[in-house]
Amino acid sequence: MARLTDRRLFQLPWRSAGRIRADVDDEIRFDLDMRTAELVEQGMREVDARRQALAEFGNLDETRRYCASVDRASQRADGRAEWMAEAWQDARVLWRGVRRAPFFALVVLMTIALGIGANTAVFSVVRSVLLARLPYREPDRLVRLYGTAPGKPNAQGMLTPVEISAVQQSRALTGVGVWGWFGGVTYVGDRSTEQWESVQVTPDFFHVLGVRPWLGRTIDSRDVGPDAAPVAVLTYPIWQQNFGGDSSIIGRDIRLNAQVVTVVGILPPGFVSPDRSPAVWFPLDPRSLFADPVAAEHRRAYRAVGRMANGIGVTQLRTAFEVTASRIRDAHPALLDESPVAAVPLHDDLAGPIRPALLAVMAAAVLVLVLACVNLAGLFLSRALARQRELAARAALGAGRGRLVRQLLTESVVLALGGSVLGVALAYWATPLLVVAGRAVMPSLAPAHIDLTVLGFTLGVTLACALAFGLAPALIGTRFDLQGSLASVSRTASGGRTVRRAGKLLVATQVALAVVLLVAAGLLGRTLSALEHTGVGYDTSRHVLTFTVALTPPPYQDSSRQTAFFDQFLTRVRALPGVRAAGTVVVAPWQGYTAGGADSLFIDGLPNDARASNMASRVTVSPDYFAAMSIPLHAGRILTRRDRADAPLVAVINDGMARHLWPGASALGQRIRLGGQHAPSIEIVGVVGDVRAFPWQEAPPTVYLSSLQRPQRWGTIVVRSDSDPRILVPAIRAVLHQLDPELPMPSAGVETMDAVLANMLARQRLPLFFTAAFAAFALILAALGVYSIMAYSVTAREREFGIRTALGARRTNVLALVVRQGMAMAIVGAVAGVLIAAAAARLLSSLLIGVSPYDPVTFTAVPIVLLAVSAVACFVPARRAMSVDPLEALRAE
C-alpha cells in the first residue's frame, strides 16, 4: 500500500474563480454538444444543428455569469458546512483526547500560560515605556537640560540660574520650564495627616510640556509675585485618594505645612512627571533665583526642560548652547570654566535608565516562550506518534493527509488559545508587579495597561506559537506506512530516522536555550553579588536610619534659626536611648553627591592654568555625620562644634582627592577655594575615606564643609543605633513635634541603610529577578523536555531492548546505552548554548558591573548544572528500559 506521504498534502478547500469558470464552460459545452447530437440524429446537418442548439440555449454570456455566481454561492455554503462539520469533529476528537490524557492538556495549558503571560506582561510595560509617546504636546520637541563640567560633557548636573537665563534667551528654544528641589509637605486633613512629596515649578513649566489640567488650571504667572496668594496643583491620584474625586476641590483651601493653600487645578490621570513623582506642585518665582547674584552664578539647584523651536534638532541645539556658554563666560568673569548646557531628548532621558533592564527582561521572556514552544513540539510529536494507529484508521476510511494535519493543528491551536487566555489573566496580575519593580529605577514610570493593542500582540504570538509547536509534529506524525501502522503499533511507532533526528534536535535545542537563560541569570547574579560586596565607603547596615527634614515654614529664612534648630534636634536625638550618633548631610551619597554638578576648585599657591581642570563636589555636613555613617578618618581631624560661623573656614576632603592633588605630600594645612577664584579661602584640616555615590562609580573628589559655617534649610538626617533604629521613629517624631509642631513629620522616605542600598541596586535586581525566574522555568522545561523525549524513545524501542537482553546484554549495559545517547544530545545542546551565550553576552554588558561578560565561573557552572539535570532526566526512562522483560517484548512481536 502506498505511503500516506505520497498523497497530496494540501488541497485548497475552495475552487478558484478560474476553475469555476472552466467548470461552467465545460457544463455549457456538454449541454450544447448533447442538444446538437439530438438534432443531428433527427436529420439536421451538424452545422445547422449547432446553430439551432445555440439559439435554443439563449444568451450564452448571461447564462455563463449566472451559473458561475450560483456555483460560487453553492461552494461558499458547502465550505461553511464542511468547515463547521470538521471543526465540530475535531473538537470532539480533542475533547476525547483531553479526557484520555488530562495531564497532557494541563501541561500544555500551563506551559503556554506561563510563556504567553510573561511576554504579555513584559510587552505591555515595554510598549508603555519605550514605544508609546509621552503624554505631552509634541513630545519629540522636548529636551531635558543638564549642567555639565569641564571635561564631562555628559555629566547630568543641575543648572545655575545664570545658565537657565542664558538658555531661555536662545532662539533654539521656544520655552523653558524650571523646577527646584523636591521636598516634603504635611497635609492635614479632617481624618488623617499625610506626608506628600512636593516641588516648585516656574509659571511656564506646564505650558512648555503642553499639559492641560483635568480640572481648574495649572500654575501660571498669576501665582508668582509679592501679592500672589499661595496655590497648589494636585495630581489625579492624590485627588482621588484624599478628596474622593470631588470636583469642588477647585478653589478650596487646604492645610499644607500649617499653611493655608488654595487648590487651583488637578493634573490629568495619565500625567507623567519629567522627574520623580511629586504629589503636589507649587509655584516658583523666577525672580527669586537671582536674589543672590553670587549664588545665581554658582548654585546648581534647579532642573529644566526645554521645547525646541520648529526645525531645530538636538544637534543644532547643542551647537546653540556652545554659543550660550561662550556668552556666559564673557558676561561673568567668575565663570571662566563654564561648560555648555547638555540637551537630552526627554523620552530618552526618562526611559534611558530602565531601557537596558526592560530589554533584558523582554529578551528573557522571548527565550522562555521559544523554549516552551520547543518543549511542546516534543510533547506533540510524541503524542502524534503514539496516535499513529488512530490516524492510520482515519486515513484508511478516506481522510487525506491534509485533513489529518488540519486535525492535529486544530488541537494545537485550541490548546494554545486556551493557554493564552490563562496567560492574559496571569499578565493582568504580573504587570502591576513589574511596574512597581520598575519604579525603583524610574520613579515616574506610568501604569501599564493591557489594552486592545497588547491583546492583539498576544493573539498574534499565540497563533505563531501554535504553528511553531504544532505544524512540524503534525507533518512528521502523519508520515507513516498505512498498512504497517494498522498491523502493529509497536513496529512503526518509532517513526524512523526522521523522528529520531527530530527528537535529538528538540533535546539539543531545549538544553541550548536553557543554557543561554541560565548564563544571563548567572552573570546578573554575579554582578549583584559583586556590587553588594564592593561597598560604598559607609555603613549600609540596618543599624543606620535616614530621613529628611525640611525647614519650609517662613520663620526659618534666617540662617541662625536653621543652625539652632538642627543643633537642638540632633542633640535631643542623640540623647534618645540606643542612639550612638546622629548627623546631617545636605545631599546624601545615595541621593547623588554630584547631582548638582562639581564646583570649580582653586588651590592657593597654584597658577591659574594649573587649577583650571580641578573640580570637587561640595557636601555640607554636621560634625557627627562621619561617626553616624562610619566614614573613617585617615589624617588630621574631622569637623567639630568649634567650627562655627565665627571661626575660620575649614574643610575635610576625601582620600582620593588628597592623593590626586598632593601625591606624596600631606593635604593638611592646604588652602582651597570652591566655586570661584574670589571665593573665601578654606583650610583643609582632615582627610576621610572615599565615599561612592553608587557602588559602580568611583568616589569623586569631595570637600566636606561644616553645616555650622554653611547653614541649610533642610538636611538628610542619619541616626546610628545599637539595635533596630526603626523603633526610634516615634520618639524622633516626638522630638521634632516638640521643637516645632508646624514642621512636616517625616513619614515617607524613612528607611534603614540596608533598604537604601537595596533601592540603589534595583537597576540590577530588576532584570536579575525576572531573568532568574525565567531561567528557573527554562531549567524545568529543559528537564521535562529531555525526559519526555527519552521516555518516548524507550517506549518505542522496548522490542529492541528485549532482544538485546535476550541475546545476553546486561541490564546495566541497556541503562548505560540510554543514558549515553540522551547525554550525547544534551552535551551538543550545552556546547551550542555556551557558544550562543558567549556571542550574546555583549548585549548584557551595560548591566554588568565588576563581572566580565565571559565570566569563567558562570560559563563553567551553568553547563555542569544543565548536564547534571539532563543526566537525571535520562536516568529515569533508562531504568524503565533496563527493566524490559525480553519474553514480553518478543511475545508482542
Side-chain angles (χ1 to χ4, degrees), residues 584-671:
T584 64
V585 56
V586 174
V587 182
W590 54 94
Q591 295 168 332
Y593 263 166
T594 59
D599 284 304
S600 300
L601 177 66
F602 296 83
I603 304 173
D604 288 358
L606 291 181
N608 291 338
D609 56 349
R611 63 198 182 199
S613 60
N614 291 326
M615 308 291 291
S617 295
R618 181 204 308 254
V619 182
T620 304
V621 300
S622 67
D624 286 344
Y625 169 74
F626 300 103
M629 294 288 287
S630 298
I631 299 175
L633 175 66
H634 288 181
R637 66 174 178 87
I638 60 174
L639 303 173
T640 67
R641 295 178 178 279
R642 296 191 303 273
D643 302 318
R644 305 190 68 87
D646 54 352
L649 293 177
V650 294
V652 171
I653 65 173
N654 67 322
D655 191 52
M657 177 176 170
R659 284 186 279 105
H660 174 68
L661 294 179
W662 296 279
S666 174
L668 301 180
Q670 301 286 346
R671 303 194 73 85

Side-chain angles (χ1 to χ4, degrees), residues 356-718:
L358 274 184
L359 292 180
V361 174
M362 188 76 221
V366 171
L367 278 180
V368 164
L369 186 60
V370 173
L371 179 55
C373 290
V374 175
N375 185 275
L376 292 177
L379 292 178
F380 273 86
L381 177 60
S382 300
R383 180 179 170 83
L385 294 176
R387 296 172 58 189
Q388 277 192 346
R389 191 172 187 181
E390 170 198 338
L391 297 175
R394 296 197 63 189
L397 294 175
R401 190 184 176 204
R403 177 69 187 90
L404 298 180
V405 170
R406 289 202 301 273
Q407 176 193 330
L408 296 178
L409 272 181
T410 300
E411 296 178 8
S412 62
V413 169
V414 171
L415 290 175
L417 290 174
S420 69
V421 172
L422 297 177
V424 171
L426 176 65
Y428 268 106
W429 171 78
T431 300
L433 297 180
L434 185 57
V435 171
V436 171
R439 281 177 179 159
V441 183
M442 180 179 171
S444 59
L445 178 62
H449 303 288
I450 298 178
D451 52 16
L452 291 178
T453 302
V454 177
L455 291 178
F457 165 82
T458 302
L459 179 61
V461 171
T462 300
L463 295 178
C465 290
L467 287 177
F469 67 74
L471 182 59
L475 293 175
I476 297 176
T478 54
R479 185 184 181 87
F480 51 79
D481 180 84
L482 186 57
Q483 185 176 9
S485 298
L486 290 172
S488 173
V489 175
S490 61
R491 283 185 181 180
T492 58
S494 61
R497 185 177 301 175
T498 303
V499 174
R500 288 195 293 274
R501 287 178 177 174
K504 292 178 180 179
L505 179 62
L506 292 175
V507 169
T509 304
Q510 291 178 73
V511 173
L513 292 174
V515 166
V516 174
L517 277 170
L518 285 173
V519 166
L523 291 174
L524 293 173
R526 294 262 299 162
T527 295
L528 186 61
S529 176
L531 291 176
E532 289 178 341
H533 289 86
T534 296
V536 286
Y538 54 87
D539 188 357
T540 55
S541 71
R542 63 183 182 87
H543 294 291
V544 181
L545 184 75
T546 179
F547 54 92
T548 299
V549 171
L551 304 181
T552 52
Y556 292 101
Q557 295 284 349
D558 182 57
S559 60
S560 61
R561 290 288 303 272
Q562 302 165 11
T563 303
F565 173 84
F566 279 115
D567 187 43
Q568 295 180 34
F569 177 68
L570 293 176
T571 300
R572 294 193 184 189
V573 170
R574 280 192 290 268
L576 294 174
V579 175
R580 296 177 59 186
T584 64
V585 56
V586 174
V587 182
W590 54 94
Q591 295 168 332
Y593 263 166
T594 59
D599 284 304
S600 300
L601 177 66
F602 296 83
I603 304 173
D604 288 358
L606 291 181
N608 291 338
D609 56 349
R611 63 198 182 199
S613 60
N614 291 326
M615 308 291 291
S617 295
R618 181 204 308 254
V619 182
T620 304
V621 300
S622 67
D624 286 344
Y625 169 74
F626 300 103
M629 294 288 287
S630 298
I631 299 175
L633 175 66
H634 288 181
R637 66 174 178 87
I638 60 174
L639 303 173
T640 67
R641 295 178 178 279
R642 296 191 303 273
D643 302 318
R644 305 190 68 87
D646 54 352
L649 293 177
V650 294
V652 171
I653 65 173
N654 67 322
D655 191 52
M657 177 176 170
R659 284 186 279 105
H660 174 68
L661 294 179
W662 296 279
S666 174
L668 301 180
Q670 301 286 346
R671 303 194 73 85
I672 59 175
R673 301 173 191 269
L674 278 176
Q677 56 184 333
H678 301 299
S681 178
I682 306 172
E683 180 186 0
I684 299 174
V685 297
V687 178
V688 297
D690 290 334
V691 170
R692 302 167 185 260
F694 300 100
W696 53 87
Q697 292 183 354
E698 294 297 327
T702 307
V703 177
Y704 295 95
L705 303 176
S706 174
S707 61
L708 302 180
Q709 296 181 332
R710 302 273 184 173
Q712 301 289 334
R713 293 188 61 180
W714 72 291
T716 300
I717 311 298
V718 183

Side-chain angles (χ1 to χ4, degrees), residues 857-876:
V857 175
T858 303
F859 276 82
T860 303
V862 167
I864 292 176
V865 172
L866 254 297
L867 292 179
V869 172
S870 300
V872 174
C874 292
F875 181 75
V876 177

Side-chain angles (χ1 to χ4, degrees), residues 167-230:
V167 297
Q168 283 176 330
Q169 298 173 15
S170 173
R171 294 183 178 179
L173 295 175
T174 60
V176 176
V178 181
W179 65 100
W181 289 97
F182 293 88
V185 294
T186 301
Y187 164 69
V188 181
D190 297 333
R191 300 178 180 177
S192 64
T193 300
E194 296 183 8
Q195 180 88 357
W196 293 348
E197 187 175 50
S198 66
V199 67
Q200 290 181 307
V201 297
T202 56
D204 290 340
F205 176 80
F206 291 106
H207 177 71
V208 170
L209 290 180
V211 174
R212 294 183 177 179
W214 183 259
L215 285 178
R217 62 176 177 85
T218 57
I219 292 171
D220 57 28
S221 58
R222 292 171 287 180
D223 304 319
V224 296
D227 300 327

Side-chain angles (χ1 to χ4, degrees), residues 147-162:
T148 64
K152 298 180 179 179
N154 297 322
Q156 296 187 338
M158 286 189 281
L159 300 165
T160 65
V162 168

